[in-house]
Amino acid sequence: MRYLILSDIHANWEALQAVRAHVRRKRFDRVVFLGDAVGYGASPNRVLDWLRSQGDNLITVRGNHDRVCAGLDSAEHFNRYARQAAEWTLNCLEERNLEFLKSFLGGPVELEEGVAACHGSSVDEDAYIFSAYDAQLAFAATPQSLILFGHTHVPSLFMLREDNGKQTLKVRLLTGRRLVLDLDPENRYLINPGSVGQPRDRDPRAGYAILDSSQRRIYLYRVTYRTSVTRRRILNAGLPPVLGDRLLYGA
Ligand code: ZN
C-alpha cells in the first residue's frame, strides 16, 4: 500500500496546492492526514473542502487546533496569536466543514498491521516528540514498528534498535528537497513528515511524505510555494501579521 502522508496544513491553501501539484504523477492509494487542518492560516474552508473530497480514501486523526477551532476544546493553552486565529476560524467555518472537523478522531489509528498514525504522540495526542525521552514514551505506548506523527512541524526520525536486550535510540532531523529512507524490519521508527502549511525547521518549503509500506520505504519531499501570497491573504483576513511573517522563514 502507498500512502500520501500530510500533516499540519494549518489552513494554508497555497502550500497544499503546491503539494497536490507535486504528487500529481505519483501513485498512492490512500491519504493519511496527521492533524491540524486549520488554525493560523486564512483558508480553512478550502483546505477542509479538499480533505472532505478524498472521501473513503482519507484516514485522519485530529490535531489540537482542529479541536479548538471546532469549538470542542478551549483555547486557554494557546498563545494569543493561536487563540485569535482559532476564534477567527470558528467564525468563518461553513457548517459542513465544521461538522467534518468535529468528526476527526483522536489517534493513534492503525493504518495496517505494524503502522500507526497520531498527531502528537501515541502516548497522548497533545504531547510533542522532540527528544529521545519523548520517543521512548511513544514507542512504549503502542506495539507498531512504524508510528507516523506530526505536531512539532519538524521533519524528524527516531529509530529504536534492540540488540541482545540492549536498546539504542537514534535521532535524526530530515532535511533536503528529497530524501528516501529504507526502513529496517529489525528496527522501530517514529517519523514526522514535516508540516505542509507551517514548517518550523527554518526551511519555508512545504513538507510531505509518501510511504510504500510493502517496500518498507518512505520518501520525504520539500516543495516551494509562494509564501508571499499566503502571507498577504493572512494580512487581508485580519489575522495576526506574525502568522504570515513566520511562513517566509519557516519558523
Ligand atoms: Zn500544528
Side-chain angles (χ1 to χ4, degrees):
M1 186 79 94
R2 285 172 70 95
Y3 301 94
L4 170 63
I5 318 287
L6 307 175
S7 190
D8 296 278
I9 301 172
H10 283 290
N12 185 336
W13 177 243
E14 292 74 27
L16 179 59
Q17 268 191 313
V19 169
R20 287 173 59 207
H22 202 253
V23 299
R24 198 155 288 149
R25 278 194 289 267
K26 298 187 196 303
R27 193 175 64 73
F28 55 88
D29 310 292
R30 292 270 171 88
V31 178
V32 178
F33 177 58
L34 303 178
D36 279 0
V38 297
Y40 298 136
S43 308
N45 285 304
R46 286 191 197 186
V47 167
L48 289 169
D49 281 341
W50 182 79
L51 283 171
R52 247 177 343 98
S53 74
Q54 301 306 303
D56 290 344
N57 268 345
L58 177 74
I59 303 164
T60 185
V61 294
R62 71 182 171 202
N64 48 326
H65 287 259
D66 298 327
R67 270 196 341 261
V68 172
C69 291
L72 295 174
D73 209 347
S74 102
E76 62 181 354
H77 302 299
F78 278 6
N79 65 43
R80 66 190 167 110
Y81 304 121
R83 204 178 314 137
Q84 267 178 269
E87 283 163 12
W88 180 91
T89 305
L90 183 53
N91 260 324
C92 78
L93 277 180
E94 289 162 14
E95 193 56 37
R96 62 181 190 277
N97 285 332
L98 180 60
E99 291 310 311
F100 177 56
L101 196 59
K102 283 181 175 172
S103 74
F104 288 13
L105 299 173
V109 295
E110 191 166 61
L111 306 180
E112 60 180 76
E113 202 188 333
V115 185
C118 58
H119 180 62
S121 166
S122 40
V123 77
D124 177 343
E125 63 186 285
D126 288 348
Y128 289 91
I129 302 176
F130 278 118
S131 68
Y133 176 70
D134 302 331
Q136 289 280 12
L137 296 179
F139 280 126
T142 38
Q144 290 85 4
S145 61
L146 173 59
I147 305 161
L148 302 162
F149 72 101
H151 197 34
T152 64
H153 301 207
V154 177
S156 46
L157 173 149
F158 297 83
M159 188 186 87
L160 184 67
R161 187 179 191 94
E162 215 169 294
D163 265 331
N164 297 324
K166 186 175 165 283
Q167 286 194 340
T168 46
L169 205 144
K170 282 192 180 156
V171 186
R172 182 177 162 193
L173 292 180
L174 305 174
T175 58
R177 191 177 59 82
R178 180 179 183 271
L179 204 59
V180 185
L181 303 169
D182 284 310
L183 308 178
D184 185 334
E186 298 294 309
N187 301 337
R188 297 181 69 199
Y189 296 88
L190 274 156
I191 295 180
N192 186 325
S195 164
V196 172
Q198 198 196 75
R200 292 180 192 163
D201 60 344
R202 304 270 160 197
D203 179 344
R205 295 177 293 185
Y208 78 93
I210 287 182
L211 166 68
D212 188 324
S213 60
S214 45
Q215 303 265 359
R216 293 193 62 82
R217 183 172 287 170
I218 187 160
Y219 303 81
L220 285 105
Y221 299 97
R222 298 303 284 266
V223 186
T224 305
Y225 73 97
R226 295 209 293 163
T227 49
S228 57
V229 173
T230 310
R231 176 177 174 272
R232 171 59 47 199
R233 296 198 48 226
I234 285 172
L235 294 176
N236 290 347
L239 286 160
V242 64
L243 299 178
D245 294 343
R246 67 188 302 176
L247 297 177
L248 306 183
Y249 310 104

